[in-house]
PDB file of all heavy atoms in Angstrom:
ATOM      1  N   ALA A   2     -35.164  -3.529   6.066  1.00 86.00           N
ATOM      2  CA  ALA A   2     -36.307  -3.535   7.098  1.00 86.00           C
ATOM      3  C   ALA A   2     -36.803  -4.925   7.259  1.00 86.00           C
ATOM      4  O   ALA A   2     -37.155  -5.375   8.401  1.00 86.00           O
ATOM      5  CB  ALA A   2     -37.353  -2.592   6.616  1.00 86.00           C
ATOM      6  N   THR A   3     -36.958  -5.721   6.157  1.00 88.00           N
ATOM      7  CA  THR A   3     -37.500  -7.022   6.220  1.00 88.00           C
ATOM      8  C   THR A   3     -36.456  -7.972   6.915  1.00 88.00           C
ATOM      9  O   THR A   3     -36.848  -8.767   7.816  1.00 88.00           O
ATOM     10  CB  THR A   3     -37.726  -7.558   4.789  1.00 88.00           C
ATOM     11  OG1 THR A   3     -38.601  -6.678   4.077  1.00 88.00           O
ATOM     12  CG2 THR A   3     -38.310  -8.960   4.812  1.00 88.00           C
ATOM     13  N   LEU A   4     -35.194  -7.830   6.622  1.00 86.00           N
ATOM     14  CA  LEU A   4     -34.217  -8.650   7.310  1.00 86.00           C
ATOM     15  C   LEU A   4     -34.188  -8.391   8.817  1.00 86.00           C
ATOM     16  O   LEU A   4     -34.144  -9.300   9.589  1.00 86.00           O
ATOM     17  CB  LEU A   4     -32.863  -8.330   6.675  1.00 86.00           C
ATOM     18  CG  LEU A   4     -31.667  -9.124   7.305  1.00 86.00           C
ATOM     19  CD1 LEU A   4     -31.768 -10.568   7.028  1.00 86.00           C
ATOM     20  CD2 LEU A   4     -30.362  -8.601   6.697  1.00 86.00           C
ATOM     21  N   ILE A   5     -34.248  -7.118   9.204  1.00 86.00           N
ATOM     22  CA  ILE A   5     -34.249  -6.791  10.638  1.00 86.00           C
ATOM     23  C   ILE A   5     -35.456  -7.341  11.273  1.00 86.00           C
ATOM     24  O   ILE A   5     -35.404  -7.931  12.349  1.00 86.00           O
ATOM     25  CB  ILE A   5     -34.253  -5.272  10.860  1.00 86.00           C
ATOM     26  CG1 ILE A   5     -32.887  -4.666  10.323  1.00 86.00           C
ATOM     27  CG2 ILE A   5     -34.513  -4.850  12.286  1.00 86.00           C
ATOM     28  CD1 ILE A   5     -32.818  -3.175  10.279  1.00 86.00           C
ATOM     29  N   GLY A   6     -36.632  -7.286  10.579  1.00 88.00           N
ATOM     30  CA  GLY A   6     -37.792  -7.873  11.177  1.00 88.00           C
ATOM     31  C   GLY A   6     -37.800  -9.347  11.359  1.00 88.00           C
ATOM     32  O   GLY A   6     -38.240  -9.917  12.416  1.00 88.00           O
ATOM     33  N   ARG A   7     -37.252 -10.061  10.338  1.00 91.00           N
ATOM     34  CA  ARG A   7     -37.120 -11.489  10.471  1.00 91.00           C
ATOM     35  C   ARG A   7     -36.069 -11.923  11.583  1.00 91.00           C
ATOM     36  O   ARG A   7     -36.416 -12.881  12.316  1.00 91.00           O
ATOM     37  CB  ARG A   7     -36.663 -12.090   9.138  1.00 91.00           C
ATOM     38  CG  ARG A   7     -37.695 -12.038   8.101  1.00 91.00           C
ATOM     39  CD  ARG A   7     -37.191 -12.621   6.801  1.00 91.00           C
ATOM     40  NE  ARG A   7     -38.176 -12.522   5.724  1.00 91.00           N
ATOM     41  CZ  ARG A   7     -37.926 -12.687   4.481  1.00 91.00           C
ATOM     42  NH1 ARG A   7     -36.700 -12.963   4.096  1.00 91.00           N
ATOM     43  NH2 ARG A   7     -38.836 -12.575   3.539  1.00 91.00           N
ATOM     44  N   LYS A   8     -35.066 -11.217  11.707  1.00 90.00           N
ATOM     45  CA  LYS A   8     -34.030 -11.552  12.602  1.00 90.00           C
ATOM     46  C   LYS A   8     -34.358 -11.227  14.117  1.00 90.00           C
ATOM     47  O   LYS A   8     -34.135 -12.041  14.986  1.00 90.00           O
ATOM     48  CB  LYS A   8     -32.670 -10.892  12.198  1.00 90.00           C
ATOM     49  CG  LYS A   8     -31.497 -11.198  13.098  1.00 90.00           C
ATOM     50  CD  LYS A   8     -30.922 -12.598  12.796  1.00 90.00           C
ATOM     51  CE  LYS A   8     -29.727 -12.741  13.647  1.00 90.00           C
ATOM     52  NZ  LYS A   8     -29.225 -14.092  13.593  1.00 90.00           N
ATOM     53  N   PHE A   9     -34.890  -9.982  14.294  1.00 90.00           N
ATOM     54  CA  PHE A   9     -35.096  -9.547  15.628  1.00 90.00           C
ATOM     55  C   PHE A   9     -36.613  -9.341  16.005  1.00 90.00           C
ATOM     56  O   PHE A   9     -36.936  -8.919  17.115  1.00 90.00           O
ATOM     57  CB  PHE A   9     -34.461  -8.161  15.841  1.00 90.00           C
ATOM     58  CG  PHE A   9     -32.937  -8.270  15.595  1.00 90.00           C
ATOM     59  CD1 PHE A   9     -32.424  -7.752  14.389  1.00 90.00           C
ATOM     60  CD2 PHE A   9     -32.150  -8.837  16.546  1.00 90.00           C
ATOM     61  CE1 PHE A   9     -30.999  -7.912  14.168  1.00 90.00           C
ATOM     62  CE2 PHE A   9     -30.715  -8.949  16.348  1.00 90.00           C
ATOM     63  CZ  PHE A   9     -30.251  -8.421  15.178  1.00 90.00           C
ATOM     64  N   HIS A  10     -37.536  -9.724  15.148  1.00 90.00           N
ATOM     65  CA  HIS A  10     -39.023  -9.691  15.371  1.00 90.00           C
ATOM     66  C   HIS A  10     -39.416  -8.170  15.739  1.00 90.00           C
ATOM     67  O   HIS A  10     -40.193  -8.002  16.653  1.00 90.00           O
ATOM     68  CB  HIS A  10     -39.405 -10.652  16.424  1.00 90.00           C
ATOM     69  CG  HIS A  10     -38.978 -12.051  16.136  1.00 90.00           C
ATOM     70  ND1 HIS A  10     -39.583 -12.790  15.050  1.00 90.00           N
ATOM     71  CD2 HIS A  10     -38.019 -12.874  16.586  1.00 90.00           C
ATOM     72  CE1 HIS A  10     -38.976 -13.965  14.975  1.00 90.00           C
ATOM     73  NE2 HIS A  10     -38.028 -14.093  15.928  1.00 90.00           N
ATOM     74  N   ILE A  11     -38.818  -7.259  15.016  1.00 88.00           N
ATOM     75  CA  ILE A  11     -39.199  -5.831  15.260  1.00 88.00           C
ATOM     76  C   ILE A  11     -39.565  -5.293  13.824  1.00 88.00           C
ATOM     77  O   ILE A  11     -38.920  -5.607  12.824  1.00 88.00           O
ATOM     78  CB  ILE A  11     -37.974  -5.042  15.755  1.00 88.00           C
ATOM     79  CG1 ILE A  11     -37.533  -5.582  17.121  1.00 88.00           C
ATOM     80  CG2 ILE A  11     -38.261  -3.535  15.799  1.00 88.00           C
ATOM     81  CD1 ILE A  11     -36.229  -5.029  17.580  1.00 88.00           C
ATOM     82  N   THR A  12     -40.587  -4.445  13.751  1.00 89.00           N
ATOM     83  CA  THR A  12     -40.901  -3.917  12.500  1.00 89.00           C
ATOM     84  C   THR A  12     -40.339  -2.511  12.380  1.00 89.00           C
ATOM     85  O   THR A  12     -40.514  -1.733  13.262  1.00 89.00           O
ATOM     86  CB  THR A  12     -42.438  -3.884  12.245  1.00 89.00           C
ATOM     87  OG1 THR A  12     -43.060  -3.153  13.339  1.00 89.00           O
ATOM     88  CG2 THR A  12     -43.002  -5.200  12.240  1.00 89.00           C
ATOM     89  N   TYR A  13     -39.753  -2.159  11.222  1.00 87.00           N
ATOM     90  CA  TYR A  13     -39.335  -0.860  10.899  1.00 87.00           C
ATOM     91  C   TYR A  13     -39.833  -0.453   9.469  1.00 87.00           C
ATOM     92  O   TYR A  13     -39.997  -1.346   8.616  1.00 87.00           O
ATOM     93  CB  TYR A  13     -37.757  -0.913  10.751  1.00 87.00           C
ATOM     94  CG  TYR A  13     -36.993  -0.662  12.033  1.00 87.00           C
ATOM     95  CD1 TYR A  13     -36.459  -1.751  12.686  1.00 87.00           C
ATOM     96  CD2 TYR A  13     -36.874   0.571  12.616  1.00 87.00           C
ATOM     97  CE1 TYR A  13     -35.729  -1.614  13.877  1.00 87.00           C
ATOM     98  CE2 TYR A  13     -36.192   0.777  13.767  1.00 87.00           C
ATOM     99  CZ  TYR A  13     -35.644  -0.327  14.382  1.00 87.00           C
ATOM    100  OH  TYR A  13     -34.923  -0.125  15.600  1.00 87.00           O
ATOM    101  N   SER A  14     -40.125   0.774   9.335  1.00 88.00           N
ATOM    102  CA  SER A  14     -40.543   1.248   7.969  1.00 88.00           C
ATOM    103  C   SER A  14     -39.179   1.361   7.236  1.00 88.00           C
ATOM    104  O   SER A  14     -38.100   1.238   7.735  1.00 88.00           O
ATOM    105  CB  SER A  14     -41.169   2.614   8.060  1.00 88.00           C
ATOM    106  OG  SER A  14     -40.245   3.540   8.559  1.00 88.00           O
ATOM    107  N   VAL A  15     -39.256   1.491   5.951  1.00 85.00           N
ATOM    108  CA  VAL A  15     -38.048   1.689   5.199  1.00 85.00           C
ATOM    109  C   VAL A  15     -37.245   2.849   5.523  1.00 85.00           C
ATOM    110  O   VAL A  15     -36.038   2.747   5.691  1.00 85.00           O
ATOM    111  CB  VAL A  15     -38.401   1.724   3.609  1.00 85.00           C
ATOM    112  CG1 VAL A  15     -37.191   2.024   2.705  1.00 85.00           C
ATOM    113  CG2 VAL A  15     -39.139   0.464   3.127  1.00 85.00           C
ATOM    114  N   SER A  16     -37.965   3.951   5.800  1.00 87.00           N
ATOM    115  CA  SER A  16     -37.190   5.191   6.234  1.00 87.00           C
ATOM    116  C   SER A  16     -36.613   4.967   7.637  1.00 87.00           C
ATOM    117  O   SER A  16     -35.472   5.452   7.848  1.00 87.00           O
ATOM    118  CB  SER A  16     -38.089   6.444   6.134  1.00 87.00           C
ATOM    119  OG  SER A  16     -39.182   6.303   6.989  1.00 87.00           O
ATOM    120  N   GLY A  17     -37.356   4.298   8.530  1.00 88.00           N
ATOM    121  CA  GLY A  17     -36.815   4.012   9.878  1.00 88.00           C
ATOM    122  C   GLY A  17     -35.545   3.115   9.787  1.00 88.00           C
ATOM    123  O   GLY A  17     -34.621   3.385  10.510  1.00 88.00           O
ATOM    124  N   ALA A  18     -35.617   2.102   8.940  1.00 88.00           N
ATOM    125  CA  ALA A  18     -34.456   1.264   8.821  1.00 88.00           C
ATOM    126  C   ALA A  18     -33.257   1.975   8.179  1.00 88.00           C
ATOM    127  O   ALA A  18     -32.124   1.767   8.577  1.00 88.00           O
ATOM    128  CB  ALA A  18     -34.824   0.006   7.922  1.00 88.00           C
ATOM    129  N   THR A  19     -33.488   2.870   7.236  1.00 87.00           N
ATOM    130  CA  THR A  19     -32.513   3.694   6.676  1.00 87.00           C
ATOM    131  C   THR A  19     -31.822   4.545   7.657  1.00 87.00           C
ATOM    132  O   THR A  19     -30.553   4.659   7.745  1.00 87.00           O
ATOM    133  CB  THR A  19     -33.099   4.551   5.464  1.00 87.00           C
ATOM    134  OG1 THR A  19     -33.659   3.660   4.543  1.00 87.00           O
ATOM    135  CG2 THR A  19     -32.035   5.390   4.817  1.00 87.00           C
ATOM    136  N   ARG A  20     -32.609   5.235   8.510  1.00 90.00           N
ATOM    137  CA  ARG A  20     -32.081   6.099   9.577  1.00 90.00           C
ATOM    138  C   ARG A  20     -31.321   5.253  10.526  1.00 90.00           C
ATOM    139  O   ARG A  20     -30.214   5.656  11.005  1.00 90.00           O
ATOM    140  CB  ARG A  20     -33.219   6.884  10.281  1.00 90.00           C
ATOM    141  CG  ARG A  20     -33.598   8.098   9.569  1.00 90.00           C
ATOM    142  CD  ARG A  20     -34.598   8.863  10.316  1.00 90.00           C
ATOM    143  NE  ARG A  20     -35.917   8.609   9.776  1.00 90.00           N
ATOM    144  CZ  ARG A  20     -36.999   8.262  10.429  1.00 90.00           C
ATOM    145  NH1 ARG A  20     -36.961   8.106  11.717  1.00 90.00           N
ATOM    146  NH2 ARG A  20     -38.120   7.972   9.898  1.00 90.00           N
ATOM    147  N   LEU A  21     -31.746   4.145  10.887  1.00 89.00           N
ATOM    148  CA  LEU A  21     -31.039   3.228  11.831  1.00 89.00           C
ATOM    149  C   LEU A  21     -29.684   2.760  11.230  1.00 89.00           C
ATOM    150  O   LEU A  21     -28.639   2.848  11.884  1.00 89.00           O
ATOM    151  CB  LEU A  21     -31.884   1.957  12.106  1.00 89.00           C
ATOM    152  CG  LEU A  21     -31.167   0.871  12.985  1.00 89.00           C
ATOM    153  CD1 LEU A  21     -30.941   1.421  14.382  1.00 89.00           C
ATOM    154  CD2 LEU A  21     -32.053  -0.300  13.004  1.00 89.00           C
ATOM    155  N   MET A  22     -29.712   2.506   9.995  1.00 89.00           N
ATOM    156  CA  MET A  22     -28.442   1.978   9.358  1.00 89.00           C
ATOM    157  C   MET A  22     -27.477   3.164   9.305  1.00 89.00           C
ATOM    158  O   MET A  22     -26.212   3.026   9.513  1.00 89.00           O
ATOM    159  CB  MET A  22     -28.673   1.465   7.916  1.00 89.00           C
ATOM    160  CG  MET A  22     -29.591   0.218   7.939  1.00 89.00           C
ATOM    161  SD  MET A  22     -28.927  -1.170   9.005  1.00 89.00           S
ATOM    162  CE  MET A  22     -27.531  -1.542   8.021  1.00 89.00           C
ATOM    163  N   HIS A  23     -27.918   4.418   9.024  1.00 90.00           N
ATOM    164  CA  HIS A  23     -27.007   5.606   8.991  1.00 90.00           C
ATOM    165  C   HIS A  23     -26.465   5.813  10.407  1.00 90.00           C
ATOM    166  O   HIS A  23     -25.246   6.190  10.523  1.00 90.00           O
ATOM    167  CB  HIS A  23     -27.773   6.832   8.467  1.00 90.00           C
ATOM    168  CG  HIS A  23     -27.866   6.859   6.990  1.00 90.00           C
ATOM    169  ND1 HIS A  23     -26.828   7.131   6.183  1.00 90.00           N
ATOM    170  CD2 HIS A  23     -28.968   6.750   6.166  1.00 90.00           C
ATOM    171  CE1 HIS A  23     -27.218   7.109   4.910  1.00 90.00           C
ATOM    172  NE2 HIS A  23     -28.533   6.826   4.891  1.00 90.00           N
ATOM    173  N   ARG A  24     -27.285   5.736  11.438  1.00 91.00           N
ATOM    174  CA  ARG A  24     -26.755   5.935  12.788  1.00 91.00           C
ATOM    175  C   ARG A  24     -25.664   4.890  13.199  1.00 91.00           C
ATOM    176  O   ARG A  24     -24.735   5.245  13.928  1.00 91.00           O
ATOM    177  CB  ARG A  24     -27.930   5.866  13.817  1.00 91.00           C
ATOM    178  CG  ARG A  24     -28.587   7.185  14.078  1.00 91.00           C
ATOM    179  CD  ARG A  24     -29.589   7.104  15.192  1.00 91.00           C
ATOM    180  NE  ARG A  24     -30.857   6.844  14.568  1.00 91.00           N
ATOM    181  CZ  ARG A  24     -31.846   6.094  15.125  1.00 91.00           C
ATOM    182  NH1 ARG A  24     -31.664   5.510  16.262  1.00 91.00           N
ATOM    183  NH2 ARG A  24     -32.986   5.974  14.489  1.00 91.00           N
TER     184      ARG A  24
END
Side-chain angles (χ1 to χ4, degrees):
T3 304
L4 179 65
I5 292 169
R7 288 180 184 165
K8 181 74 175 172
F9 300 105
H10 306 290
I11 298 172
T12 57
Y13 276 102
S14 65
V15 174
S16 62
T19 302
R20 278 187 259 128
L21 175 66
M22 298 304 291
H23 279 287
R24 272 190 263 145

